[in-house]
């Protein structure tokens, strides 16, 4: 099974999304030009993307990248399911993973051993709700993880991950003068972003971190 090369071009919808968002939203009108040369990048195949998401759950971006590098050194960048399964939970913990994350990545490896799920085209044929339902069958994968998969592997343009604390922090910073923001309030702000909520979320993430979010 071969995997697609990293995408260096913008998603087909990105330019139109940026234009629309700058017309509708005063904050994004300022932010988007600052990072105009950057955009979301699909870096890996479906299995690798999900493993990166699991590894990155509830840790800093820097630590998530470090843990991923440890796994990649052990199994190579392809990070095949068979390689993960060949490592015990003890082995994975020695690479820096917690016990639960070691269990979760092994469960994900078992799930992806089915050949069709390793094929990027198989995932492209599923709608957003179906992808979320399928991925949530894996222990350790909840709605946040599935939404990150929709955004960073499938490149779906209208995903609003309201369980993402970094996004809520960015909305708080830019729209509420740093005051705590509820999911309801965040959803109200994001109404103006549809059908480009992925793009808006990405620029808000980017505005709060020196490195672009990626999985």
């Amino acid at each position: 099974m071969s995997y697609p090369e990293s995408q260096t071009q913008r998603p087909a919808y990105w330019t139109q999304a940026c234009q629309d968002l700058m017309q509708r939203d005063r904050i994004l009108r300022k932010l988007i030009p600052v990072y105009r040369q950057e955009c979301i990048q699909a870096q890996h195949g479906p299995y690798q993307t999900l493993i990166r998401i699991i590894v990155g759950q509830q840790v800093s971006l820097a630590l998530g990248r470090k843990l991923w590098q440890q796994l990649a050194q052990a199994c190579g960048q392809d990070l095949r399911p068979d390689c993960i399964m060949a490592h015990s939970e003890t082995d994975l913990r020695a690479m820096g993973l917690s016990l639960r994350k070691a269990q979760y990545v092994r469960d994900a490896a078992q799930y992806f051993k089915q050949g069709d799920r390793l094929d990027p085209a198989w995932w492209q044929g599923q709608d957003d709700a179906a992808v979320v339902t399928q991925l949530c069958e894996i222990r350790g994968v909840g709605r946040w993880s599935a939404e990150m998969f929709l955004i960073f592997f499938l490149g779906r343009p209208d995903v609003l991950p309201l369980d993402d604390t970094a996004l809520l922090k960015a909305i708080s910073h830019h729209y509420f003068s740093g005051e705590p923001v509820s999911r309801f309030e965040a959803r109200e702000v994001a109404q103006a972003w549809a059908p480009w909520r992925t793009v808006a979320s990405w620029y808000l993430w980017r505005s709060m971190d020196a490195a672009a979010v990626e999985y």
Side-chain angles (χ1 to χ4, degrees), residues 136-208:
C136 286
E137 294 175 1
I138 306 170
R139 182 169 57 153
V141 175
R143 185 168 189 87
W144 176 86
S145 299
E147 288 174 338
M148 294 300 105
F149 188 89
L150 289 172
I151 291 171
F152 288 97
F153 171 65
L154 289 172
R156 300 292 166 84
D158 195 32
V159 180
L160 180 65
L162 289 174
D163 291 328
D164 188 83
T165 56
L167 178 60
L168 294 180
K169 182 179 178 181
I171 292 173
S172 168
H173 175 78
H174 289 292
Y175 296 87
F176 293 86
S177 301
E179 293 296 317
V181 57
S182 69
R183 288 172 175 79
F184 174 81
E185 290 168 324
R187 187 180 290 108
E188 289 290 301
V189 168
Q191 284 184 350
W193 304 342
W196 313 118
R197 290 178 295 180
T198 292
V199 181
S201 297
W202 188 88
Y203 279 108
L204 287 169
W205 278 325
R206 181 65 184 86
S207 73
M208 300 295 286

Side-chain angles (χ1 to χ4, degrees), residues 47-209:
Y47 171 66
Q48 296 94 328
T49 300
L50 187 64
I51 293 297
R52 283 198 74 149
I53 290 167
I54 292 172
V55 166
Q57 290 172 349
Q58 299 179 332
V59 299
S60 68
L61 289 175
L63 179 55
R65 293 186 184 107
K66 180 179 179 180
L67 294 173
W68 165 260
Q69 289 169 359
Q70 296 272 52
L71 286 173
Q73 286 175 2
C75 289
Q77 291 295 329
D78 280 351
L79 209 69
R80 303 286 178 167
D82 285 341
C83 182
I84 289 291
M85 295 301 296
H87 287 80
S88 67
E89 290 176 6
T90 301
D91 295 334
L92 295 171
R93 293 191 69 187
M95 298 177 198
L97 297 181
S98 67
L99 174 60
R100 286 195 174 182
K101 285 192 179 182
Q103 294 169 339
Y104 295 163
V105 297
R106 283 176 56 83
D107 284 358
Q110 184 63 46
Y111 181 87
F112 272 86
K113 285 188 73 172
Q114 292 183 240
D116 55 355
R117 291 167 181 168
L118 285 170
D119 184 356
W122 187 83
W123 292 96
Q124 296 289 349
Q126 314 296 313
D127 65 24
D128 289 3
V131 171
V132 171
T133 298
Q134 288 157 1
L135 291 178
C136 286
E137 294 175 1
I138 306 170
R139 182 169 57 153
V141 175
R143 185 168 189 87
W144 176 86
S145 299
E147 288 174 338
M148 294 300 105
F149 188 89
L150 289 172
I151 291 171
F152 288 97
F153 171 65
L154 289 172
R156 300 292 166 84
D158 195 32
V159 180
L160 180 65
L162 289 174
D163 291 328
D164 188 83
T165 56
L167 178 60
L168 294 180
K169 182 179 178 181
I171 292 173
S172 168
H173 175 78
H174 289 292
Y175 296 87
F176 293 86
S177 301
E179 293 296 317
V181 57
S182 69
R183 288 172 175 79
F184 174 81
E185 290 168 324
R187 187 180 290 108
E188 289 290 301
V189 168
Q191 284 184 350
W193 304 342
W196 313 118
R197 290 178 295 180
T198 292
V199 181
S201 297
W202 188 88
Y203 279 108
L204 287 169
W205 278 325
R206 181 65 184 86
S207 73
M208 300 295 286
D209 199 284

